[in-house]
Amino acid sequence: MTTFGLEFEVAGISTSAASAALNRGGIECVEPNRTHETCESWKSVFDGSVRGAEVVSPILGDERLNEASTVARLLLSAGGKVDRSTGFHVHIGAAGLSPEHIAQFYLNWNLVHEAIGALVAPSRLNNSYCKVPTTERIATNAERIRSGNISDLNGDRYQSFNLMSYERHGTLEIRVHQGTLNGTKAVAWAKFIDAFKDYSATNLITIGDLGIHDRLNKCESLLNILMLAGNLDSKTGQYLKDRAASIQG
């Protein structure tokens, strides 16, 4: 079973206000003394990069993933907002993944990043907080992963696919999505990452597999691959296609 960790970066709201909003809404939330402390409930910590709060989930299974919708609604109602400085990060638990699976997940994600980019705001592409490595560095990191060294060559966590969270949290972090307080969007994005991870267990993808079309059509081809393989449900897949079409205009 996949486990998730979700991080909502929220501007315009203090850590205490964010925590209070969730608790009033029936979602337990604490304000721990240590920012990276793992909690059994949601937590609200200061995030200087967005002048607001970072609201972080406990470890969630599939059955609790929809809590993200409630949390997003409560934060929005309390005055939270998102802008170009905020991101929405998803951690995928890696405890049950082999080094080969992680390597293929990492390779696939970076090699078809052009298609994935259709699902996020343009401001998140060529962004210093969620970079895509060079082709040479991708290949080097993949070989390091296969040998059991699951980390980035230069120790850089500010990448679209962050390997550095593995040592600290036992997770693989996807950082490329813009900040959101839309619960439906947040859950669909998490499901997409999970589907992509599952497909990568036995399949390698290259951008050539998606045709010679523009970014939007490549994204639609990628979603079709995941749906036909049974990794992504059709409702989520269609929602993401519609999202991509809206973003790409």
Side-chain angles (χ1 to χ4, degrees), residues 50-113:
V50 300
R51 297 183 181 180
E54 183 173 62
V55 177
V56 183
S57 77
I59 297 172
L60 303 175
D62 291 330
E63 74 284 354
R64 293 185 63 190
L65 187 57
N66 283 328
E67 280 184 28
S69 295
T70 303
V71 167
R73 174 177 55 79
L74 293 171
L75 292 171
L76 189 62
S77 297
K81 59 185 179 181
V82 295
D83 55 30
R84 289 171 67 94
S85 72
T86 60
F88 171 61
H89 307 154
V90 176
H91 289 255
I92 295 290
L97 307 184
S98 68
E100 180 63 26
H101 187 172
I102 295 172
Q104 292 199 164
F105 183 16
Y106 176 80
L107 276 171
N108 283 345
W109 187 268
N110 285 297
L111 293 178
V112 301
H113 204 273

Side-chain angles (χ1 to χ4, degrees), residues 151-167:
S151 63
D152 176 67
L153 177 65
N154 296 329
D156 184 1
R157 71 184 182 92
Y158 292 119
Q159 298 188 52
S160 175
F161 192 123
N162 172 29
L163 292 167
M164 300 308 295
S165 66
Y166 182 84
E167 183 175 356

